[in-house]
Amino acid sequence: MNELVVWLRAQFDADERIARACSGNGEWEAEHIAIYGPDLGVEVRAHMAAHDPARVLREIEAKRAIVSRYEFAAKEAERLALAGSDPEVWIQVSGALQSCVLCLALPYADRPGYREEWRP
């Protein structure tokens, strides 16, 4: 799972670089309508607004938080097991979060390095 976490963080970093390179000044939709023409349909405009760089950056932040919570839970389970304590709750929590991390990786399945064993 550590390899998935490393790979997934690299995907987040790539998405962040792209989003930061784009305009995040709140004019995202207007700029693209000017470029692509005013005849864009409502659905296309909604899609563009949903992928505003500022929104993408918030989404990346949320994904990173989930991955960090998974890592914390997995480390806590390991720490308790090594200390001779009952790690069962943390094992359950890390297992649930691991499922979430696998789901977070799925949209990146078309990128180099994705492994089929990571598919949820």
Side-chain angles (χ1 to χ4, degrees):
M1 201 60 182
N2 286 339
E3 290 179 36
L4 171 59
V5 168
V6 169
W7 180 84
L8 193 53
R9 283 193 169 130
Q11 307 318 301
F12 298 160
D13 291 346
D15 284 356
E16 180 180 18
R17 278 191 301 277
I18 292 167
R20 289 194 184 283
C22 295
S23 171
N25 61 8
E27 301 296 325
W28 177 250
E29 185 177 354
E31 289 173 14
H32 283 78
I33 289 172
I35 293 169
Y36 297 109
D39 296 330
L40 293 174
V42 173
E43 294 86 5
V44 173
R45 285 190 191 130
H47 178 76
M48 289 166 53
H51 293 86
D52 181 292
R55 181 194 174 276
V56 171
L57 292 172
R58 290 189 304 270
E59 186 175 303
I60 292 167
E61 183 180 344
K63 290 175 181 179
R64 286 180 173 149
I66 292 168
V67 170
S68 292
R69 283 168 173 79
Y70 159 71
E71 282 189 309
F72 175 82
K75 287 176 184 174
E76 191 64 13
E78 183 178 351
R79 184 189 69 76
L80 289 171
L82 291 172
S85 299
D86 184 8
E88 187 58 33
V89 170
W90 286 105
I91 289 171
Q92 291 177 12
V93 170
S94 67
L97 288 168
Q98 180 180 9
S99 295
C100 294
V101 170
L102 292 170
C103 291
L104 289 176
L106 190 56
Y108 300 102
D110 61 337
R111 293 191 182 177
Y114 182 84
R115 298 180 189 171
E116 283 301 312
E117 70 241 29
W118 294 339
R119 191 171 293 278

